[in-house]
Amino acid sequence: MADRPEDKGRIVVGVDGSEPSRRALRWAVRQAELTGGAVVAVIAWEYPTYHGARGWFPPGITDEAALEGRARQEADRAVRQAVGERPPVEVRTEARHGTPAGALVEAARGADLLVV
């Protein structure tokens, strides 16, 4: 059950640019059409891990805004590829820092449905 009024009908779907995630997104959009809901496409991002680098990142890789922006671009591209420029329902994208599972669980709090 939705916790907040803005959660009513909210469907959260995980996207990562893969074909299975685009299929999940298309399914979520069809479900939102049937239920009058909105879709939130969520992508997770983390700082890259460099084995053997002794904890040092290459120059520029610690720029949180750049990493989040890249993730958001990937989510936007996945939405366009899956449902086009003008989806039949509201589709928003979110880029969240963290593991995919953790980001999706947090994003789905109060939502009607989580699709993966």
Side-chain angles (χ1 to χ4, degrees), residues 12-74:
V12 175
V13 60
V15 296
D16 63 6
S18 68
E19 181 53 35
S21 77
R22 288 191 297 270
R23 283 196 304 264
L25 181 55
R26 285 189 288 270
W27 188 94
V29 166
R30 285 192 306 272
Q31 184 66 22
E33 281 184 280
L34 294 172
T35 61
V39 173
V40 181
V42 176
I43 191 167
W45 67 272
E46 293 183 287
Y47 288 104
T49 303
Y50 293 94
H51 298 285
R54 298 184 184 158
W56 294 97
F57 290 112
I61 202 65
T62 59
D63 184 356
E64 184 174 326
L67 292 169
E68 182 178 358
R70 176 75 174 121
R72 186 173 303 279
Q73 287 175 344
E74 184 62 34

Side-chain angles (χ1 to χ4, degrees), residues 100-109 114:
L104 288 172
V105 167
E106 185 60 33
R109 289 196 195 282
L114 172 62

